Amino acid sequence: MKLWLASYPRSGNTFMRDVLFACYGIDSSTFHKETTYASEDNYDKFDIVKTHLLASEIEIQYQNLPSICLIRDGRDALVSMAHHKKDLVDTNSNFIENLEEVIVSANGSHFGGWSKNVKGWIEKADIIIRYEDLILDPIKEIEKIRRIFPLPEADISKLPTFESQKKGLSHYGSGEFHNITGDENTIFANKNFRKGKAGSWKDEMPNYYHDLFWNYHGKMMEKIGYQYDGSIAEIDSLSYQKIKNKFYFSEPSTPETKTVLIDSTKILGKTNDGVKRYVIELLRQLKDIQQWGDDSFHFHVYINGRIYDINEFEAFIDVVKKNNETYFYERILLGIRATIKWLLSENLYDKLAPYYRNSEWRKHLFVLKKNALILGEIVTRSVFHTKVLNKKKTDAPFDDYSLIHVTLPQHLSLFKYPNIPKVVTVHDISHKLFEEFHLANNVALSEEGLQAIKKNNIHVIAISKSTQQDVKKYYNIENSTIIAEAANSDLFKVNTSKHLFEATLQKYHLPLGKKYFLCLSTLEPRKNIVNTIRAFQKLNDTATCLVIVGKKGWQYDDIISSGKKTNNIFFTGYVRDEDLPILYSGAQAFCYISHYEGFGLPLLEAMSCRTPVICGNNSSQIELIDQNGLAVDSNNIDEITNAMTTMLNDEVREKYAAQAWKKSFEYTWYKTARQTVSCYQNIIIHNQIAAH
């Protein structure tokens, strides 16, 4: 055995094997773990072995063999899979049910699912061949194999066609290996080789199932060039040059590498707020770009005064800091807080805590924390330079960076290096527009950061057009770029399992068989949950519930007391990330009627789960949903109630659900990261020109 031919089923591997056999005289075998028919005992004696298994499932002794990955537009492959099951595997099965089953691939069924299978092999393979190219020019594509395997000369006169394969005249796919002969052989081959063309999914995949497919697999499709509209785009070189090389064998470039430091301390936060999710998802995509891109960029992350390579950042997510990793002053403060909480009743502690949060003490303690971070940073510079940069400490160690990306204006004071260009992500200016909804220290720190941006003419990444307009209007900052956020496409997908839905409702003590509206946010004033509760109470519908998901924030007593007046309002408290898509998917509508948002990430998460939304008619919310949901005056109780009534109509709900789902596909974290890197490039180039 010398070479793996790997593909997801129904991607054209049988045609490719027939071409290898007929034109090159190369016989091949198959390695699988199916129970319905046996593998050849001597499969490993063949030079080329086909497999549909995940790359990680290959036998250890064959893991390092060269491999070819044959890929096909996943929509064509899965439509063909659904037909294959109906026509040959289970003739009593239904095409649509088969299609949904193979799209979702629950619990890793169907060879891990299309995306996981393709991802594993395109990263491992030496050569990638696209099915759409193979059927246009089989010999040209197969000749690529010569780079890793000594092919004999081809006899083009023996090139098989799909017509000959459908008649059962080919070596593979005719039924011979399933002991099928005679007329049954022809029938089998005719069903096995269906159309042999690209894009047949357009005639056979209903709109809902096309969007379901894109919801589950759009991220991988775009990575390798397949587009929502059926076209094939060139693979992005900056992000995926190393994968692109496997398609086209383009000459590797040697660009000058630019190193960017990214402020990432926010990932240590205990609450999974929008800024934390922004930083985590951006880092994940930039890590992917660093691994598979054209080497134009290398990324380091700054976490609590220390610097790491971006490949290390995942270890810090949601990890509770150990005592020896916590600053001395922090341990003292945490100890004092724990003691006070132990001495006081929970009710009294909850009432006194807001006075502390809004006191001058918080400001003084932040200055202490900020100075400690700066001191820690100075202490660790020499260690970082010798262990990471492999050079001696210099008077200006950060001069090695082409750019510093500060992901929150409040952190800007930690990066006072005038000779290094910076970019700051501004998420919103709610501290200025709605000061009454914020703690006093957060208002002061946010304002300090925005004033520093203005004073030093630092470039801003605004996460929405609304935020860009706000920073221009209130701070006269025009040096900005809009780069939208996105929902985590691996997590936020529509749930199709009734069993999983019912189990999740039971887990959070929610009633079965009732429609419900869903709210999700930290329980604090700006999210306007009190008005949502009042509007729901006016609805006066005992067959419908209001489910409120989120941790306690501040000034939440009114929220909870308002909700407790109605039997069919449920507070779940914290909900695990894995359960959120299930609750989103089952909701009649998602109510996120905020007074103000910089972006409104939960809206997009709900839309990604095919859930229609009701939001505030203000700020970025109307920008995000466009005409694909209901926007209402956040202070108008009757208007909110009317929107709920509208969404209780299942036909109307279905219309908005379909529109919201499709709208959500416009936002991806890959697009966010790619636009962010382009922003880095522009700032660095501008700075270089200005320096000369």
Side-chain angles (χ1 to χ4, degrees), residues 71-88:
I71 61 169
R72 182 184 188 182
D73 185 317
R75 292 163 290 197
D76 276 333
L78 298 196
V79 164
S80 186
M81 281 274 281
H83 277 297
H84 185 76
K85 180 177 180 180
K86 176 178 68 69
D87 294 340
L88 296 171

Side-chain angles (χ1 to χ4, degrees), residues 91 126 168 223 333 390 400 421 491 549 585 690:
T91 55
D126 300 276
K223 183 173 184 175
L333 294 177
N390 297 317
D400 292 292
L491 179 63
V549 174
S585 299

Side-chain angles (χ1 to χ4, degrees), residues 1 100 104 113 169 305 317 330 358 369 424 431 467 476 488 523 560 570 625:
M1 181 176 171
E100 180 173 310
V104 174
L169 303 177
I317 298 175
E330 288 179 311
N358 289 286
K369 177 179 179 180
V424 181
H431 74 281
T467 296
N476 198 28
N488 181 336
L523 302 186
I560 294 178
F570 298 86
I625 71 164

Side-chain angles (χ1 to χ4, degrees), residues 344-496:
L344 301 175
S345 67
E346 182 176 352
N347 185 45
L348 183 58
Y349 177 86
D350 287 344
K351 289 182 178 179
L352 293 176
Y355 294 101
Y356 160 70
R357 295 192 194 102
N358 289 286
S359 71
E360 293 295 316
W361 280 98
R362 294 279 289 186
K363 297 180 183 178
H364 298 318
L365 292 174
F366 178 80
V367 172
L368 174 62
K369 177 179 179 180
K370 183 169 69 175
N371 291 336
L373 287 172
I374 293 172
L375 177 62
E377 170 197 304
I378 294 171
V379 170
T380 58
R381 283 180 191 169
S382 58
V383 176
F384 170 68
H385 265 69
T386 55
K387 291 189 176 181
V388 179
L389 299 182
N390 297 317
K391 57 178 70 176
K392 293 181 180 179
K393 179 183 175 183
T394 65
D395 291 333
F398 282 81
D399 282 353
D400 292 292
Y401 288 107
S402 306
L403 181 77
I404 296 176
H405 181 181
V406 183
T407 54
L408 196 64
Q410 290 93 314
H411 295 176
L412 189 56
S413 59
L414 300 174
F415 301 94
K416 293 180 178 179
Y417 308 102
N419 297 325
I420 305 173
K422 302 177 190 67
V423 61
V424 181
T425 300
V426 177
H427 302 269
D428 60 58
I429 62 164
S430 59
H431 74 281
K432 189 174 189 70
L433 300 178
F434 296 92
E435 184 176 343
E436 68 274 19
F437 294 153
H438 285 270
L439 303 177
N441 68 311
N442 185 56
V443 173
L445 295 171
S446 298
E447 187 64 21
E448 178 186 329
L450 267 298
Q451 292 296 340
I453 292 171
K454 178 180 178 181
K455 178 181 177 181
N456 297 288
N457 193 30
I458 298 172
H459 195 90
V460 163
I461 291 176
I463 62 172
S464 66
K465 183 178 181 181
S466 171
T467 296
Q468 184 189 55
Q469 291 172 340
D470 286 345
V471 296
K472 180 179 180 180
K473 178 179 179 180
Y474 293 97
Y475 295 95
N476 198 28
I477 296 172
E478 297 191 10
N479 190 16
S480 64
T481 303
I482 301 173
I483 303 178
E485 297 180 334
N488 181 336
S489 59
D490 293 326
L491 179 63
F492 294 104
K493 306 171 183 175
V494 66
N495 171 56
T496 60

Side-chain angles (χ1 to χ4, degrees), residues 71-76 114 118 129-133 213-214 217-233 235 247:
I71 61 169
R72 182 184 188 182
D73 185 317
R75 292 163 290 197
D76 276 333
W114 186 85
V118 169
I129 294 175
R130 189 179 272 133
Y131 169 84
E132 291 77 11
D133 298 326
F213 171 85
W214 205 259
H217 305 289
K219 177 181 176 181
M220 179 54 58
M221 289 282 284
E222 290 185 334
K223 183 173 184 175
I224 52 181
Y226 294 107
Q227 303 297 298
Y228 180 86
D229 64 2
S231 62
I232 299 178
I235 297 172
F247 280 89

Side-chain angles (χ1 to χ4, degrees), residues 252-281:
S253 59
T254 55
E256 178 186 353
T257 300
K258 295 169 277 291
T259 309
V260 176
L261 179 64
I262 304 165
D263 159 39
S264 308
T265 296
K266 186 66 180 178
I267 67 176
L268 296 178
K270 292 182 179 179
T271 58
N272 194 23
D273 62 16
V275 180
K276 178 178 177 179
R277 282 179 285 172
Y278 167 82
V279 175
I280 290 173
E281 298 298 343

Side-chain angles (χ1 to χ4, degrees), residues 505-621:
L505 291 183
Q506 291 174 337
K507 177 178 180 180
Y508 293 102
H509 309 291
L510 300 174
L512 297 174
K514 284 191 174 186
K515 293 180 179 180
Y516 66 89
F517 293 103
L518 180 70
C519 291
L520 169 68
S521 74
T522 301
L523 302 186
E524 47 105 340
R526 180 165 60 92
K527 301 304 181 180
N528 196 30
I529 294 177
V530 169
N531 280 352
T532 304
I533 290 173
R534 289 170 180 165
F536 176 77
Q537 289 168 334
K538 287 195 69 174
L539 191 65
N540 195 27
D541 183 350
T542 57
T544 305
C545 303
L546 177 65
V547 176
I548 301 173
V549 174
K551 290 183 176 180
K552 294 178 182 179
W554 51 92
Q555 298 181 32
Y556 53 79
D557 290 337
D558 288 345
I559 298 172
I560 294 178
S561 61
S562 296
K564 286 182 176 178
K565 296 175 183 177
T566 306
N567 291 331
N568 52 345
I569 294 179
F570 298 86
F571 292 89
T572 67
Y574 171 76
V575 167
R576 295 172 68 248
D577 283 351
E578 294 78 6
D579 296 330
L580 283 176
I582 301 167
L583 292 179
Y584 274 135
S585 299
Q588 192 70 13
F590 177 58
C591 299
Y592 195 75
I593 310 161
S594 175
H595 290 306
Y596 173 86
E597 289 295 322
F599 184 76
L601 195 51
L603 286 170
L604 190 55
E605 292 172 352
M607 293 161 69
S608 299
C609 296
R610 205 176 186 275
T611 304
V613 297
I614 303 172
C615 69
N617 188 13
N618 61 67
S619 56
S620 63
Q621 298 174 89

